[in-house]
Amino acid sequence: MSEIQPLLVQLTEAFLSNLVTGAKVTIDNVVYDKPVSHTSTRYGLRKYVKLTNEQGLVTRVALVDTYGRELYVKEMNYQKNAQGYVIAFPLQLEVKEVKVNG
């Protein structure tokens, strides 16, 4: 029987975490480059993008790598006012056993 070891999951999560370098946020059809404001591993890997002064209709947020390639995209329809707003991106890995009959 073969099993994925916890070390492989940890190394893969670390790779994913290091791969994400920022975000592109679309507000009122204008794209803003935003940093990742926080990374958490308390309940699985999560990246957070904080919006502060921006106002308008948030329609899309994408986590990107150093080349600007989109890695995780969220389509949204959120009217942001003057209050701050944080968008969470769960990047959790799940190991599942697959049984093959035959």
Side-chain angles (χ1 to χ4, degrees):
M1 179 176 194
S2 50
E3 294 182 12
I4 292 177
Q5 299 300 301
L7 177 61
L8 179 58
V9 174
Q10 291 168 353
L11 291 172
T12 305
E13 283 183 342
F15 172 77
L16 286 173
S17 183
N18 292 330
L19 190 61
V20 174
T21 59
K24 292 188 179 288
V25 181
T26 305
I27 303 172
D28 288 340
N29 295 318
V30 177
V31 178
Y32 298 88
D33 291 320
K34 301 294 287 181
V36 171
S37 62
H38 180 69
T39 299
S40 174
T41 56
R42 185 170 183 162
Y43 301 108
L45 178 61
R46 291 178 186 264
K47 295 284 186 178
Y48 297 90
V49 176
K50 188 177 194 178
L51 304 178
T52 51
N53 299 327
E54 303 85 356
Q55 293 187 43
L57 183 63
V58 181
T59 54
R60 191 171 191 274
V61 183
L63 293 181
V64 296
D65 66 4
T66 56
Y67 300 104
R69 297 178 297 189
E70 295 181 349
L71 305 171
Y72 188 152
V73 176
K74 279 189 175 187
E75 300 291 335
M76 303 179 70
N77 188 21
Y78 177 75
Q79 185 65 42
K80 186 186 171 302
N81 57 23
Q83 292 182 317
Y85 186 67
V86 176
I87 303 162
F89 289 85
L91 298 170
Q92 296 168 314
L93 298 178
E94 186 175 322
V95 178
K96 289 187 176 183
E97 182 179 337
V98 177
K99 294 184 181 187
V100 179
N101 294 330

